[in-house]
Amino acid sequence: QVQLVESGGGLVQAGGSLRLSCTASGSIFRVKTMAWYRQAPGKSRELVATIASGDSTDYADSVKGRFTISRNYANNTVFLQMNSLRPEDTAVYYCYVNLLTISDGLATRDYWGKGSLVTVSS
């Protein structure tokens, strides 16, 4: 089994900051790509940021310059530092991890966190 545990969501005023964390644990051989997605009410889930195993990163245009994704290889944790938050950033943020599992013949699997609500008020 592989589990993703997210933390760090909450309520913040516009212009403020939050940091999301997501830790993967369980039958993990190697974590590959880690990412954050978000879904606002009435909208489709969108990719916010990704970070590869070589630490290369990509961001949605809407968050470039404001959000930073990073990872800790020792504990399989991915972070999303969110600065200069805007009301339109309000969404449920989902952690995504692509990894090789020990318990499934080292197959590549995708895992999703349960989501963390971020609310940005004016």
Side-chain angles (χ1 to χ4, degrees), residues 16 86 99 121:
R86 305 165 180 169
L99 52 79
S121 63

Side-chain angles (χ1 to χ4, degrees), residues 22 33-37 47 49-51 69 78 94-98:
C22 175
T33 299
M34 308 185 86
W36 290 96
Y37 288 73
L47 178 63
T50 63
I51 183 165
I69 188 170
V78 61
Y94 296 92
C95 175
Y96 163 85
V97 178
N98 176 253

Side-chain angles (χ1 to χ4, degrees), residues 37-57:
Y37 288 73
R38 69 184 181 187
Q39 187 167 18
K43 301 185 69 176
S44 300
R45 187 173 300 187
E46 65 173 342
L47 178 63
V48 177
T50 63
I51 183 165
S53 58
D55 284 348
S56 62
T57 58

Side-chain angles (χ1 to χ4, degrees), residues 1-4 24-34 53 71 76 96-111:
Q1 294 279 357
V2 173
Q3 303 84 37
L4 302 185
S25 62
S27 302
I28 300 170
F29 179 77
R30 181 170 67 87
V31 173
K32 297 165 71 177
T33 299
M34 308 185 86
S53 58
R71 64 193 290 177
N76 292 323
Y96 163 85
V97 178
N98 176 253
L99 52 79
L100 299 176
T101 66
I102 295 174
S103 61
D104 196 18
L106 269 64
T108 300
R109 300 294 186 193
D110 300 318
Y111 292 91

Side-chain angles (χ1 to χ4, degrees), residues 8-20 38 66-67 80-91 93 116-122:
L11 175 65
V12 65
Q13 288 187 310
S17 299
L18 286 174
R19 189 168 92 146
L20 304 180
R38 69 184 181 187
R66 300 188 298 120
F67 292 9
L80 185 68
Q81 178 66 46
M82 303 182 292
N83 298 326
S84 302
L85 283 162
R86 305 165 180 169
E88 53 263 40
D89 294 318
T90 296
Y93 285 71
S116 182
L117 178 62
V118 172
T119 302
V120 184
S121 63
S122 300

